[in-house]
Amino acid sequence: MPLMAEVIGEGRTMARRTRRKAEETRQDVLDMAESVFRDKGFAGTTIADIAAALGMSPANVFKHFRSKTALAEGIAERHVEKMVGALEGIDASLPPLERLGHFVRRLMESHLRSLQQSPYIFEIVLMTSGGDMACGLRYKEVLESRFVDMVRLGVAEGAYYSKDIEQTARCIT
């Protein structure tokens, strides 16, 4: 954090930190938490570890994130966005079965890459997707929506048969 000199009288100065926007500090906390989680894992990390790495008090971390789980959810949200981005651009001209296979292959490759590059971060993503956390629910909704679209198109093309497209998509998911 940048320091500013503050004149306190008789030519003396005292260094003080410049005020930052809360969102900037929040992003710094999230960045550092991700780094510490990446090294030590969720279970091996405490809020005090993150605060110490940032040079601030644990209370300051809690000011921006109400719990370690809230930090994990923020990190997972970032990675879910990356995974969703990796699923874009499936060729709609492919036959339905190939289109579905291509999508699932991309999904699994994205998960494998995440697992290999950052096993502890992938663990956090799995942890949040297994519960009722917003980013996990969003990821499931995105996947289901994509599968609904693919199944609906496959049914329209006569390649698939489904009485309940939404249920079929949930099964695929």
Side-chain angles (χ1 to χ4, degrees):
M1 206 175 277
L3 296 176
M4 277 182 64
E6 178 182 324
V7 177
I8 56 173
E10 298 184 23
R12 294 181 303 167
T13 60
M14 181 175 91
R16 70 176 173 92
R17 293 185 187 268
T18 57
R19 206 133 174 75
R20 299 183 67 215
K21 292 182 178 172
E23 186 54 33
E24 290 173 349
T25 302
R26 182 178 166 78
Q27 289 306 311
D28 287 348
V29 170
L30 204 53
D31 291 343
M32 185 57 70
E34 183 170 341
S35 176
V36 176
F37 283 146
R38 192 179 304 277
D39 292 340
K40 298 172 84 176
F42 181 79
T45 300
T46 65
I47 292 293
D49 296 331
I50 296 163
L54 286 162
M56 63 174 58
S57 72
N60 219 1
V61 174
F62 282 120
K63 177 178 164 185
H64 297 281
F65 293 92
R66 68 187 179 286
S67 65
K68 187 167 89 166
T69 302
L71 271 166
E73 188 169 5
I75 292 165
E77 180 66 38
R78 287 178 168 180
H79 289 273
V80 163
E81 290 304 318
K82 287 179 191 174
M83 284 189 249
V84 167
L87 301 175
E88 297 299 326
I90 302 296
D91 186 355
S93 68
L94 292 172
L97 190 55
E98 286 181 51
R99 192 170 39 239
L100 183 59
H102 188 70
F103 182 85
V104 171
R105 201 169 22 265
R106 260 194 173 167
L107 177 64
M108 293 300 107
E109 287 168 355
S110 172
H111 286 182
L112 182 59
R113 233 181 350 269
S114 292
L115 180 60
Q116 290 170 336
Q117 292 171 356
S118 304
Y120 287 134
I121 300 301
F122 189 73
E123 172 191 43
I124 289 170
V125 171
L126 287 179
M127 178 184 77
T128 61
S129 67
D132 290 334
M133 295 184 174
C135 68
L137 294 173
R138 177 175 150 22
Y139 191 49
K140 287 177 187 175
E141 287 171 7
V142 166
L143 291 180
E144 268 184 40
S145 171
R146 299 282 166 74
F147 287 133
V148 163
D149 293 344
M150 283 187 259
V151 171
R152 184 170 284 126
L153 191 55
V155 167
E157 293 173 5
Y160 303 140
Y161 171 78
S162 175
K163 286 184 178 180
D164 184 343
I165 291 173
E166 285 76 20
Q167 178 62 33
T168 301
R170 281 191 296 279
C171 288
I172 295 170
T173 303

